[in-house]
Amino acid sequence: MKNIIITSALCAITTISMAQQVYELSAPAKEKTIYTGHLKMGGTSPSGGSIDVNSYYMSIDGKPVIPVTGEFHYSRYPHEQWEEEILKMKAGGVNVLPTYIFWSLHEEQEGVFNWRGNLNIRKFFELCKKHGMNVIVRIGPFGHGEIRNGALPDWLFAKPLEVRSNDENYLFYAKRLYGEIAKQLEGLYYKDGGPIIGTQIENEHQHSAAPWGVNYPGEPMDMTTATYDSSITMIGVSVQDKQITTAELGDLHMKTLKKMAEEAGIITPIYTATGWGNAAVIGNEAIPVTAAYTYPFWAEPEMSPFCMFKDIQRNPDYAPVRYDTDKFPSFCAEMGAGMQMIYKRRPIVTAKAAEALMVRTLGSGANCIGYYMYHGGSTPRMAGGITSFNDEPMGMPKISYDYQAPLGEFGLEHESYRTLRLLHSFLADFADRLAPMETVLPEDYKKMAPGNRETLRYAARMKDNSGFIFMVNFQDHDTGRIDQKNLQLRLNLTNETLQIPAKGTFTLPKDESVILPFNFPMGDAVLKYATAQLLMKIDDNGKEHYFFFTPDGMNTEYVFDKATVRGTNVFTPLPGIKSTFSIKTRSGKTVKITTLTREQALNSCKVNGKLLITKATVLPDKERVQLLSLGNPTFDYILYPSKQGFKTQTIEVGTVKPEFSFKKVGARRLTVRFEDNGEFPQVQEYFLRLNYTGDVAMAFINGKMVLDHFYHGAPWTIGLKRFTGQMKKEELGFYFRPLRSDAPFLIDLPKEAIPDFSKGSVCTVNNVEIIPEYITTLKF
């Protein structure tokens, strides 16, 4: 069916010599078919709530939703700080938290299960419930997660069995694992009023595997897979181009595992399984989820296809796949907004890259977006004495699993945290409108090739002549992007032709991504279009108040349908907190609109129905908000609506100058002494920052490695709260390895991070400081 017509016309402009680029989209001739009742999923809660899934989207309590999932591994973070990190994720717009249960951590010794301390999953899920965070539990047995053996215990390697198969001996141990997991999760499922809404079975079955940690340097790696699947095993996430002759065995194993989980009592409304790269699936009993990584460490650096719009439901990333794509929603649950580093490869993922990936993915029709990882962590050492749990054969850091995630290894924000929150805020208020909308592409959308810098990358999602336009002018691994100027959009809808802007053109600056609404109902008024992006909606003393922001380099214009408003229908405000204007609808209602700058939008989140603008990190709770600020004892914020309106308010806490000492021993060693006595209540935590140039850095306490870091040009910033007790008795020791001019990862580093090698290898510690993270509280 030919849904869309696109034309590019060059129109002479008398005042300038450049050509106008007109891009057209046409509404589908036939509405998308959405299938219901064929998936054996869904469920209800004791309070009367419900979760349902059709072939295109998920609904909660009968309302379409687009879940935002963010991976966080409880076992890679101190349990004393779990609650704080869950709140940061919630403030970031995450509403579903997937987490691995790493088998190897819980059953390090055969037959002895450990659910204490940082492995206390029950406590973790109870905190999720307390703060309204839904959970997807990833029960394995195989987990990958860049952990040793993909989370299969070392002792399993010695057993006479075929892992990840229906070998009876393997299933015995898998069944025992599921039974122990079920004991920990009892009463915490959605059907019981708990937070667990989903279960992932296995991971990347018949697609990918991890190397066994038991190996010899230089030998071919033994992979954690059944022998009959060894020829199809992949390293990392990619297109599967090998013939899978054992597909029936793989699907049977997945169904067997799901049956075992249900028999153990692990019963949830939703089940998921890896869907990409021809992985094994479970028929209509689980949603196949997809992934996309723009900077994979397991592949050579090249421009990815993941900034190009397409129909992502019918043509998933890393296709071909084993399932009927028309019968399942596109749940893009493992998107690489960050990336783990390995010794030989240290790809750096920027915030702009993360934003472009997700704008493209939503515009392409995804109805769940999720991140691997959303929160980094530190992999714990095995009590049995093995050096680390990370995947050493692949060259991982032994402990660090920062992943360049929106929230890093020690809970600090990376730039992508706020960039992605722009999209999450939008989805929180408008996903019910977006989810049923289908993707509309240009007829020659394949011109949107990674190396094409001239052609606009765009798509729309539409339903009933209303929708959103998605545009991306970013490409990973391309430093030569250009501003796309003199653009105009023409939408051929069933009852009208809509031109954006109505007069003149607009520019989409390089590296920018944007979502623009058209024929958007606001109360009983209709916004024909806006050259600004929706952020959120609040109740402003009984009036609907919409907040937009304008991307840098674009002009702001709102055009309303004259038939639905009284008075002026065109507005061109200057972005900022003073930009608010009101419209009167034909029925006499007032609707308010404020256009923020992009910077203001990046600092915005909704807390308890109010807009909060602050540079501080936000920890929301029911009756209060805590604010965290690294190194700055002054907290500026705007809380709206409030008695102060849009006036900036300020809280100052006492400045703290931490007392510490450090000693350099030669060029490669350093010791730091610091004791936190808890005497300053305005300090939440102290962070040690090492500005160094080198190859690899390692940290030790009492002779035990506790952290490591791969140099990539940024300072190493370490949260010290987890070491408070130990540092009262012991100093923190560091060892730095020199950076060589022939290091294989230099191609990944920014130019300013590469030192002068004229005098040989480089190993310098340029600065050592301890920075307090201040805390204050706002009460509602």
Side-chain angles (χ1 to χ4, degrees), residues 284-302:
N284 61 356
E285 299 179 39
I287 299 172
V289 299
T290 64
Y293 291 96
T294 49
Y295 294 84
F297 65 75
W298 53 85
E300 291 300 316
E302 63 178 358

Side-chain angles (χ1 to χ4, degrees), residues 23-300:
Y23 291 89
E24 295 194 36
L25 290 169
S26 295
K30 182 181 178 182
E31 189 172 295
K32 183 181 185 66
T33 300
I34 296 177
Y35 303 93
T36 60
H38 62 295
L39 300 178
K40 295 181 180 179
M41 281 179 281
T44 58
S45 69
S47 63
S50 64
I51 293 178
D52 296 289
V53 184
N54 60 34
S55 66
Y56 198 53
Y57 57 84
M58 176 176 161
S59 297
I60 295 181
D61 301 337
K63 183 178 179 180
V65 297
I66 299 180
V68 177
T69 74
E71 188 95 6
F72 177 34
H73 299 156
Y74 62 93
S75 57
R76 281 172 157 152
Y77 214 80
H79 65 92
E80 300 91 344
Q81 297 174 265
W82 282 345
E83 186 166 20
E84 177 182 327
E85 303 312 305
I86 291 168
L87 290 174
K88 290 177 188 175
M89 293 179 69
K90 186 174 181 179
V94 171
N95 50 40
V96 181
L97 191 160
T99 191
Y100 274 128
I101 296 178
F102 288 129
W103 183 6
S104 55
L105 293 179
H106 291 284
E107 195 185 0
E108 180 187 347
Q109 180 181 343
E110 182 181 350
V112 180
F113 284 87
N114 180 6
W115 303 98
R116 302 182 302 275
N118 296 345
L119 302 180
N120 188 344
I121 190 173
R122 186 170 188 86
K123 175 184 175 182
F124 182 75
F125 285 176
E126 285 172 345
L127 289 171
C128 290
K129 178 181 179 180
K130 175 182 176 181
H131 295 291
M133 179 69 76
N134 288 327
V135 171
I136 295 175
V137 58
R138 306 179 75 172
I139 61 174
F142 177 76
H144 213 308
E146 284 73 54
I147 206 165
R148 181 180 174 89
N149 307 333
L152 299 183
D154 266 43
W155 53 261
L156 202 63
F157 184 77
K159 299 291 182 181
L161 50 78
E162 291 277 16
V163 299
R164 303 176 73 188
S165 77
N166 273 10
D167 181 316
E168 289 185 3
N169 293 323
Y170 175 70
L171 292 180
F172 168 81
Y173 295 109
K175 184 176 182 179
R176 186 173 70 184
L177 169 68
Y178 282 5
E180 293 294 326
I181 291 173
K183 292 177 185 177
Q184 301 300 315
L185 305 186
E186 186 176 357
L188 292 174
Y189 303 106
Y190 181 77
K191 65 184 179 63
D192 307 314
I196 307 174
I197 66 168
T199 304
Q200 179 179 308
I201 304 297
E202 235 270 356
N203 187 52
E204 299 177 323
H205 189 49
Q206 292 193 315
H207 176 76
S208 186
W212 282 101
V214 181
N215 70 93
Y216 298 93
E219 71 163 349
M221 291 185 288
D222 287 318
M223 305 302 289
T224 50
T225 187
T227 304
Y228 60 74
D229 280 337
S230 59
S231 65
I232 60 171
T233 299
M234 313 281 290
I235 295 292
V237 179
S238 58
V239 174
Q240 175 60 276
D241 54 8
K242 297 178 182 178
Q243 184 180 2
I244 300 178
T245 59
T246 55
E248 186 176 342
L249 291 176
D251 292 349
L252 179 61
H253 180 54
M254 294 292 288
K255 291 177 181 178
T256 300
L257 291 177
K258 180 174 182 287
K259 183 180 179 182
M260 284 170 45
E262 291 175 321
E263 288 175 347
I266 303 173
I267 298 172
T268 52
I270 304 298
Y271 292 86
T272 68
T274 302
W276 62 81
N278 242 345
V281 293
I282 320 178
N284 61 356
E285 299 179 39
I287 299 172
V289 299
T290 64
Y293 291 96
T294 49
Y295 294 84
F297 65 75
W298 53 85
E300 291 300 316

Side-chain angles (χ1 to χ4, degrees), residues 538-675:
I538 66 171
D539 183 327
D540 190 350
N541 298 312
K543 299 180 177 65
E544 291 184 354
H545 194 156
Y546 293 82
F547 288 85
F548 292 71
F549 71 93
T550 303
D552 295 336
M554 289 185 66
N555 295 323
T556 311
E557 182 181 42
Y558 298 88
V559 177
F560 289 87
D561 185 346
K562 290 181 180 179
T564 65
V565 297
R566 299 177 180 179
T568 303
N569 73 312
V570 178
F571 301 85
T572 56
L574 187 66
I577 57 176
K578 295 182 180 180
S579 67
T580 305
F581 65 90
S582 299
I583 59 168
K584 282 283 188 181
T585 70
R586 286 294 181 182
S587 65
K589 294 182 179 179
T590 299
V591 176
K592 302 175 75 172
I593 296 97
T594 298
T595 311
L596 302 176
T597 65
R598 179 178 170 89
E599 182 180 3
Q600 289 166 344
L602 287 169
N603 293 330
S604 297
C605 64
K606 190 194 291 188
V607 180
N608 297 343
K610 296 178 181 291
L611 169 68
L612 177 62
I613 303 177
T614 180
K615 291 183 179 180
T617 296
V618 176
L619 304 181
D621 212 337
K622 292 180 181 179
E623 296 181 355
R624 67 174 189 173
V625 174
Q626 290 183 304
L627 303 180
L628 304 178
S629 177
L630 185 63
N632 187 354
T634 301
F635 296 83
D636 292 327
Y637 68 95
I638 294 172
L639 186 64
Y640 184 90
S642 66
K643 292 181 180 180
Q644 290 75 22
F646 282 115
K647 182 180 178 181
T648 299
Q649 301 175 68
T650 299
I651 298 176
E652 292 191 16
V653 298
T655 300
V656 175
K657 294 184 178 180
E659 294 184 4
F660 71 102
S661 63
F662 67 92
K663 180 181 179 181
K664 291 183 180 181
V665 182
R668 300 188 185 186
R669 299 187 186 276
L670 171 77
T671 60
V672 177
R673 289 189 176 274
F674 172 70
E675 185 174 343

Side-chain angles (χ1 to χ4, degrees), residues 371-681:
Y371 305 97
Y372 191 97
M373 298 286 296
Y374 187 83
H375 197 308
S378 306
T379 302
R381 292 166 51 101
M382 293 177 69
I386 292 176
T387 304
S388 78
F389 258 111
N390 269 353
D391 188 349
E392 292 181 287
M394 287 294 291
M396 302 285 169
K398 295 180 183 297
I399 295 172
S400 175
Y401 202 65
D402 178 82
Y403 217 89
Q404 303 173 69
L407 291 169
E409 181 176 5
F410 303 99
L412 293 177
E413 295 181 22
H414 288 153
E415 188 180 355
S416 59
Y417 175 82
R418 295 184 183 233
T419 300
L420 294 170
R421 188 169 63 183
L422 299 174
L423 302 177
H424 306 162
S425 296
F426 163 67
L427 292 176
D429 286 340
F430 307 110
D432 60 321
R433 304 193 194 189
L434 179 62
M437 293 177 175
E438 65 180 289
T439 296
V440 176
L441 296 168
E443 187 176 71
D444 56 353
Y445 69 93
K446 291 185 179 180
K447 284 186 177 180
M448 303 181 206
N452 183 346
R453 297 170 179 168
E454 305 294 333
T455 301
L456 179 67
R457 298 174 183 180
Y458 72 116
R461 288 184 66 171
M462 298 185 188
K463 184 176 176 61
D464 300 329
N465 294 311
S466 177
F468 300 91
I469 300 162
F470 298 77
M471 293 180 284
V472 169
N473 190 12
F474 175 90
Q475 177 61 53
D476 57 87
H477 300 93
D478 181 8
T479 58
R481 297 300 297 178
I482 59 174
D483 292 349
Q484 294 188 327
K485 300 179 180 180
N486 300 300
L487 303 176
Q488 190 176 77
L489 300 169
R490 187 174 298 154
L491 305 181
N492 299 317
L493 308 176
T494 56
N495 57 355
E496 66 173 326
T497 297
L498 184 61
Q499 191 164 287
I500 304 174
K503 296 180 181 179
T505 62
F506 68 92
T507 294
L508 183 62
K510 66 178 180 179
D511 298 333
E512 290 295 321
S513 303
V514 66
I515 305 171
L516 305 180
F518 65 91
N519 282 337
F520 180 77
M522 301 174 72
D524 52 358
V526 175
L527 176 64
K528 297 302 294 181
Y529 71 82
T531 54
Q533 184 166 322
L534 265 169
L535 183 65
M536 68 177 70
K537 181 180 75 170
I538 66 171
D539 183 327
D540 190 350
N541 298 312
K543 299 180 177 65
E544 291 184 354
H545 194 156
Y546 293 82
F547 288 85
F548 292 71
F549 71 93
T550 303
D552 295 336
M554 289 185 66
N555 295 323
T556 311
E557 182 181 42
Y558 298 88
V559 177
F560 289 87
D561 185 346
K562 290 181 180 179
T564 65
V565 297
R566 299 177 180 179
T568 303
N569 73 312
V570 178
F571 301 85
T572 56
L574 187 66
I577 57 176
K578 295 182 180 180
S579 67
T580 305
F581 65 90
S582 299
I583 59 168
K584 282 283 188 181
T585 70
R586 286 294 181 182
S587 65
K589 294 182 179 179
T590 299
V591 176
K592 302 175 75 172
I593 296 97
T594 298
T595 311
L596 302 176
T597 65
R598 179 178 170 89
E599 182 180 3
Q600 289 166 344
L602 287 169
N603 293 330
S604 297
C605 64
K606 190 194 291 188
V607 180
N608 297 343
K610 296 178 181 291
L611 169 68
L612 177 62
I613 303 177
T614 180
K615 291 183 179 180
T617 296
V618 176
L619 304 181
D621 212 337
K622 292 180 181 179
E623 296 181 355
R624 67 174 189 173
V625 174
Q626 290 183 304
L627 303 180
L628 304 178
S629 177
L630 185 63
N632 187 354
T634 301
F635 296 83
D636 292 327
Y637 68 95
I638 294 172
L639 186 64
Y640 184 90
S642 66
K643 292 181 180 180
Q644 290 75 22
F646 282 115
K647 182 180 178 181
T648 299
Q649 301 175 68
T650 299
I651 298 176
E652 292 191 16
V653 298
T655 300
V656 175
K657 294 184 178 180
E659 294 184 4
F660 71 102
S661 63
F662 67 92
K663 180 181 179 181
K664 291 183 180 181
V665 182
R668 300 188 185 186
R669 299 187 186 276
L670 171 77
T671 60
V672 177
R673 289 189 176 274
F674 172 70
E675 185 174 343
D676 176 12
N677 295 315
E679 58 186 307
F680 299 107

